[in-house]
Structures are given as C-alpha cells and as structure tokens.
Amino acid sequence: MPRKTIAVVLLLIAALIAYFLLRGDDEVNAEAKYDGVHLCSPSQRAAAEAAATRAPSPRPTATRVPTADGAADEPPLFAQNDPVWGNQEYDHGAKQDVGCGRTIAECGCAMTSVATVLRLFNVVNTPEGAGLNPSSLNGWFNQNAQLTTSGWVSQGYQYGNVVWTAVNNLTAALPAENAKPLRYKGWGNGSEAEVRSELEAGRPVILEVPGHFIAAVGLQGDQILINDPFYRDRTTLASYRGRVKSSRLFQPSEDRRALLISVPANMRVRVTDPQGRVVGTLTGGSPAEAEKSAQSQIPGATYRFEEAWRDPTCTERPPPDGAGVNTIFIPNPEKGIYKVEVVNPGGDDSASVVYAYDINGRLKMETRSGGRNVTYQIDYDPGAPSAPTTPTPTPTSTAGATATGTPTSAGQAVATSTPPPARATATPVPPTEPPPPADTETPTAEPSSTRTPAPAMTISTITAVLSESQVGTGAPGCHTTLSWTVSGDLAGIVELRRNGATIHGTTIGPKSFQDQFQPGTWTYQIRATNSQGVQFLSQTVTVTPICVTLFSVTPGCNNTVNWQIMGTATGTVRVQRRVYTSSGTPVPSPWTTFHTETLSPAPRSVVDPAFNDDEDYRLEILVGSRIVHTNIIYVRRCD
C-alpha cells in the first residue's frame, strides 16, 4: 500500500477515535446496544472499514415467498440508501426531531421493509397509480399529515414511527384485481420458528433488531433469507443471530377492522372497550416498565412501546433511552363506544392519534392535543363488507367519503379522510379514575342531530400526467399536468396547492394546470370552500429525477445527435442506434451503444461516424436503478 494511502487511512482512524472520545462515555455507552447491527461505535470501526471496501456477497438462490399471484419471483431488493430516494425527506424530518435524522437513508429502514413486504404480497402500485417503491410509499405515508403538540402524524407515520396498520388502508384503496386485501396482524416474538412458519405460509415478515428493521423474504434449506434495507451484504438471518427483538406480522384478509391509538413514549394511554375491558396503562416508570405493567383484557389487544431506531449512516447521534411511541392495537374491535385516556406525567400538554379502520380497511384518523390529562371517546362502527368492486383509487383511501380539512396550529389546513362507517368523534365521558387536575381537557360533542346538512360539493380525483421526455427543440415536455373537477355548491376560490403552498387559483368546473418540472415527491392538494366549510383532496406525485428537454438528430452523412436533460440526479447517458436490413421486409437490429458519458444538464451532442441508410436513434439514461429511453428518431438515408 502506498505511504500516502497509509497516511490517509491512519488519519481517518485517528479522526474516528477522536470523534468518539469527544462525545463522552455516556454516548459511547449508548452505542453499545447497537453493536452487531450498526457500525457507529468504536468497537465496530474495523467492521465499518471492511464493509466500506467489501463488495456485497451474491444472494443465495432459494425458494422465495410466493407472491399473491402464485409466482415465486426474486423479491424487490429495496434499499433505503438508494440514491434515487435516499436523500428524500422522511416523515417531516426537517420540521421535527424523529430521533434518527431527516432522510430515508437515515430513517427509512422500517418503511423500506414495508415496501418490500407489500411487493411480495403483489402490491405493485400505490393507490394513485405510481409504482410502489420507498419513494412513492413515503409520499403516500405522508398524506393527511397533521401537526400536534408533540410533532407530526399522518396516515403512515406517527411521531417518526411507522403506522403498521397503514397496509389495511393502502390495499383498501387499490382496485381489487391489483392486490388482495391485506391487514396488519400484530407483533410477534420474532423467533426463528415463528418466522419459518410465516414464510412457509407465503407471508413475509418484518423483523426488529436493535435500532433497525429488516424483512424476512424466503427460505433456503435451514437458512432464512432477508432483505436488509441498508446493509446489502447481509443476506441471511445468521447476520442477526440472537439479536432479533420482535416481528411485525401481516396476512391477507377481507376483514381489515382495527383500532390503533398512539402517543409519544413519554406519555401513557389506556383504552376501555364497550364491555368495560381495559388495555394499556396510565402509570409506570420508563416506557419499557410501563409496557410490562400494562393491562391487556381485550382479546387480541396489545400495548406496545416501540423504541426509536438508529441512523445507520452514523450522521445522527443515537436516540436517547426511552425515545419512541406507545401504541395500543386492537385488531378486531366491535361496534360501540371506546374510552381513551391519555396522561402526560411530565405535566406538559398531551398528544394522541387514533387510526380507526372499518371492515373494508377504510380509515378515519383523528388527533387530540392539549391538556395534561385528556379523556375522549371513539364511536366505532365497523360497517358492512363491501361488495366486490373495482374502485377508483383515491389518495385518502376512502370509498364514497368526503375529505375535510382541519386547521393546524400553524394555520395551514390539512386533509383528514372521513368515511361514514368508521366514525371517531371526540365526546366527553365521566372519568373512572380520581378527578384530574384543572387543566384536564373535556371535549364537547357537537350535536350532530340538529346540524343542517351541508349543500353538496364534490371534488373529483386529481389526475396527474407526468411528461418525462420531449422529441424536438421545444421544451413543453418537462412539466406535470394536473386535472380535476369541482362541482356543486361553491362559495369561494378553488386552490391548487403543492406541499401546502398555493400555486394556482381558479373557479368551479373542470380545470387543469401545468406545474413546472421539479424532481421529487410532491403532495398536490385541491382546496375548495362552500357555505358549510372547506373540502380537501390530496394527491401524491413522484416526479422523476430527470426530464429530456431536447433530443434531435441533425441529418447528414455523419449524423449529429443532440440532447439536453434537466434534473439534478447523477447517472449515465448512452447514445444508441439500430439499423434496418436492406432486403425484403425491413427488420431492425438490436440496439447498440456508440457513445457513453456522464449525465449533465448542459446541452450535449455527438457525431455518429458510422451512419448507414435507415437507422433509428435513441438515448438510454441510467439513474440509480431507473432506466429511461427517449422516443425514437428515424433517419432514412445519407444525402
């Protein structure tokens, strides 16, 4: 090894040692529980250095978990640090401290594992029609976001944690022919016997290890195959022998009833069902101690403390002990009134979120913020099973529901879906515990029986058409065309918003708008006002990281191929040609590449030195795992 290289390596090692020494003993000790999983602690430095230079080992050939259509294909090897989406924001990470960082690469192990499991259950698209991957799933999870006193919650995230029951709602919004109904079954113990049993039944499993999540995807003899979303060289569960803490289990089911109530880990929550049975606790020391002391009288119900996970990039410091969420999960709730009690032992305001899914998986989500002790009710009705249909996908995952907006403390309205079968209306109930302090919140129920029905107003599904390439010298191809219709009673301007900011105002009727090209995942929202209030409809759109604004060929005996590509992604451009036979019916040859270069936003051109009569030209652009081909330009002859 050259002396200069040795000096650089020694300097890096010295910097790592200094980094850990400066952090102090407490933080070094905080890293210890992640040893063997993450490579951030001093004891893992050698492993980190070896991993940085080691190529991923080949994945073993094995029997995979059959997909829902009966196939046993190679599972999607989704990686949270894929450059296509690794730097995208995770769960409002720029606006709140979720304990692991801000990006999918830092925090997306659980969400990426959910994407892998969904694909193995043959869910290939989001309800909006986007191809299912960590980027589009992150966008769908972020829909219906609401700001509480303790941070952001949405239909797929709760204070930085994943809402495991979101699969109930996601598959409910898909056309029946695209995916079988799927539900979250609950937490398991993560034993090898349990994992094998699930895999043999065709059900992939998400496993929790210290500070990290992975997916168990198949079997090879006595080995359990995994998809690790960050460490690509770890392909079997032997990499985590003795380190699995628990599992997350999923199953196909037509019955997707569920209640999920979550609070930040420093708070406590207890639920009483219509029969007077209790799950949860309002006391206890640490979150882990509270979990052990919690009551569990409702059949199948669970009170669970889920720890915050560790940033595998080692950019962020390890989360403090006790960070995470406390969750109550009731998998088969019966119709009736459920009492929810929330306490913040620290004396500050409490916060909670309720996810109520009816029998068809449709979601009603509600948040409660304010007051040290809060008691409210959930009026739950599972409804009746829907007849088999092919529903039109909607971003709020409802069928025949009206989307309503609720202003946040920041003054911005956000969307909440409100399907009738799963109402979660907050009303006061008499406390069964000693009287709470004076700051206890006792919400007042609205007298719905005397309310005047709102005049009808309908917002159609937002249709988004992405144009990725444009042949010719014009540049109208790099935009997103959004179309929608608002009909019925209207008492104000219809607004189109992008990530909360208004970008277009219009009036009632069918409308469309061309938004400028901006790579990334964006939530577009229609906001319309009538005499009874405001309605919202959201649509998440993933705009590709590149757009071809120019692709042309200047004819001649040495043709010149010209192109320009917008975007900020890194990748490769290949200029390709194919020729046609000159006798009989013309038959094109396979595509061949005659020029390759690094992707650049500047105008580019290259001369084809070997032109023959009758040729096609195209560009092949590679960005991460994505391949984009431009339209084909045909050149007939050399003049």
Side-chain angles (χ1 to χ4, degrees):
M1 182 180 295
R3 292 182 177 179
K4 185 175 182 180
T5 302
I6 295 174
V8 171
V9 171
L10 291 174
L11 184 62
L12 289 173
I13 293 174
L16 281 170
I17 293 172
Y19 168 71
F20 285 106
L21 289 175
L22 290 172
R23 292 192 307 169
D25 291 340
D26 289 343
E27 193 163 333
V28 171
N29 292 336
E31 295 283 15
K33 65 181 178 181
Y34 305 117
D35 277 4
V37 177
H38 295 309
L39 308 177
C40 303
S41 69
S43 64
Q44 295 289 294
R45 284 199 304 272
E49 293 162 7
T53 58
R54 183 173 61 244
S57 59
R59 296 186 65 83
T61 302
T63 301
R64 303 294 181 182
V65 174
T67 58
D69 58 3
D73 298 331
E74 182 79 10
L77 302 181
F78 286 140
Q80 68 191 88
N81 51 351
D82 189 304
V84 175
W85 50 69
N87 288 327
Q88 293 179 10
E89 184 182 19
Y90 171 90
D91 184 23
H92 298 81
K95 304 178 184 69
Q96 64 175 342
D97 181 8
V98 297
C100 49
R102 298 184 175 189
T103 67
I104 293 176
E106 294 169 323
C107 301
C109 58
M111 182 272 295
T112 301
S113 295
V114 172
T116 295
V117 165
L118 286 170
R119 285 291 296 270
L120 285 170
F121 277 111
N122 204 34
V123 178
V124 298
N125 293 304
T126 66
E128 296 80 24
L132 190 135
N133 58 42
S135 174
S136 60
L137 185 61
N138 180 59
W140 189 87
F141 271 14
N142 272 318
Q143 289 185 30
N144 298 334
Q146 301 183 41
L147 180 61
T148 74
T149 55
S150 294
W152 288 89
V153 296
S154 60
Q155 65 186 20
Y157 292 124
Q158 47 183 342
Y159 312 113
N161 200 62
V162 162
V163 180
W164 304 107
T165 48
V167 300
N168 300 30
N169 187 26
L170 187 146
T171 58
L174 292 170
E177 68 271 17
N178 287 4
K180 292 183 178 179
L182 187 67
R183 69 175 295 166
Y184 177 60
K185 189 165 63 171
W187 289 273
N189 57 30
S191 68
E192 289 200 12
E194 176 194 73
V195 175
R196 288 182 186 280
S197 176
E198 291 294 304
L199 293 175
E200 288 168 355
R203 297 189 293 265
V205 180
I206 294 177
L207 298 174
E208 179 189 9
V209 295
H212 191 46
F213 285 91
I214 60 177
V217 299
L219 299 168
Q220 181 186 41
D222 61 352
Q223 293 190 86
I224 295 173
L225 304 182
I226 64 171
N227 184 61
D228 191 309
F230 192 85
Y231 303 99
R232 309 309 292 161
D233 59 324
R234 302 176 186 177
T235 58
T236 71
L237 195 55
S239 301
Y240 293 104
R241 182 167 289 118
R243 304 306 303 280
V244 176
K245 298 173 62 179
S246 62
S247 61
R248 309 296 182 271
L249 307 176
F250 305 86
Q251 66 178 160
S253 176
E254 296 287 347
D255 185 350
R256 285 169 283 188
R257 290 176 295 160
L259 279 175
L260 191 93
I261 303 95
S262 289
V263 299
N266 63 315
M267 303 177 195
R268 301 291 177 265
V269 59
R270 183 171 64 188
V271 174
T272 305
D273 76 355
Q275 306 300 320
R277 298 170 295 192
V278 174
V279 60
T281 181
L282 300 179
T283 61
S286 68
E289 292 169 341
E291 179 184 328
K292 292 178 181 178
S293 65
Q295 295 176 277
S296 184
Q297 300 173 353
I298 302 175
T302 306
Y303 177 96
R304 187 87 180 189
F305 164 54
E306 292 198 290
E307 290 185 278
W309 40 88
R310 176 72 171 98
D311 163 28
T313 72
C314 308
T315 303
E316 297 290 323
R317 295 170 181 263
D321 284 341
V325 297
N326 295 321
T327 299
I328 288 177
F329 173 56
I330 305 175
N332 296 295
E334 59 188 64
K335 182 177 180 179
I337 301 296
Y338 289 77
K339 183 176 71 171
V340 180
E341 300 165 273
V342 181
V343 172
N344 187 338
D348 295 329
D349 282 347
S350 65
S352 61
V353 57
V354 174
Y355 300 91
Y357 304 86
D358 69 8
I359 196 169
N360 299 299
R362 294 174 298 190
L363 170 66
K364 172 59 170 66
M365 173 182 160
E366 181 182 339
T367 61
R368 304 293 297 175
S369 292
R372 177 179 178 271
N373 293 0
V374 176
T375 299
Y376 59 95
Q377 290 183 342
I378 303 170
D379 185 358
Y380 179 78
D381 185 349
S386 296
T389 59
T390 305
T392 300
T394 63
T396 50
S397 302
T398 64
T402 300
T404 60
T406 303
T408 67
S409 59
Q412 174 187 329
V414 294
T416 58
S417 58
T418 56
R423 296 182 294 120
T425 304
T427 55
V429 296
T432 56
E433 298 295 314
D439 62 350
T440 299
E441 179 185 355
T442 54
T444 303
E446 297 182 9
S448 57
S449 60
T450 60
R451 186 183 304 164
T452 301
M457 179 173 66
T458 303
I459 306 175
S460 72
T461 299
I462 306 170
T463 301
V465 179
L466 307 181
S467 181
E468 297 178 355
S469 64
Q470 177 72 18
V471 175
T473 57
C478 289
H479 60 258
T480 302
T481 300
L482 299 121
S483 304
W484 65 91
T485 300
V486 179
S487 58
D489 174 70
L490 187 71
I493 295 296
V494 178
E495 296 178 358
L496 173 66
R497 297 180 173 185
R498 181 182 61 238
N499 284 16
T502 299
I503 60 174
H504 182 62
T506 184
T507 56
I508 197 167
K511 301 294 176 182
S512 66
F513 179 74
Q514 287 189 351
D515 195 15
Q516 61 186 341
F517 171 75
Q518 297 182 88
T521 300
W522 306 94
T523 298
Y524 292 95
Q525 186 181 74
I526 296 294
R527 180 183 187 274
T529 307
N530 70 358
S531 58
Q532 296 296 312
V534 180
Q535 289 190 19
F536 292 85
L537 184 64
S538 296
Q539 165 84 348
T540 297
V541 177
T542 299
V543 180
T544 57
I546 59 167
C547 180
V548 182
T549 62
L550 169 66
F551 175 50
S552 66
V553 177
T554 304
C557 291
N558 289 322
N559 292 313
T560 301
V561 181
N562 314 286
W563 70 91
Q564 185 171 7
I565 301 172
M566 293 180 64
T568 58
T570 57
T572 302
V573 177
R574 296 172 179 167
V575 186
Q576 299 181 328
R577 77 162 86 87
R578 66 182 180 185
V579 301
Y580 288 81
T581 59
S582 58
S583 62
T585 303
V587 177
S589 69
W591 288 99
T592 60
T593 298
F594 67 89
H595 178 76
T596 301
E597 66 175 56
T598 301
L599 183 62
S600 168
R604 303 292 298 159
S605 65
V606 65
V607 174
D608 179 6
F611 172 69
N612 295 304
D613 288 349
D614 296 326
E615 287 192 355
D616 288 334
Y617 291 94
R618 75 176 184 185
L619 298 182
E620 182 175 78
I621 305 125
L622 293 80
V623 178
S625 60
R626 178 180 174 79
I627 299 177
V628 175
H629 291 116
T630 62
N631 291 348
I632 297 169
I633 295 179
Y634 170 63
V635 179
R636 181 177 295 277
R637 62 172 59 88
C638 175
D639 297 325

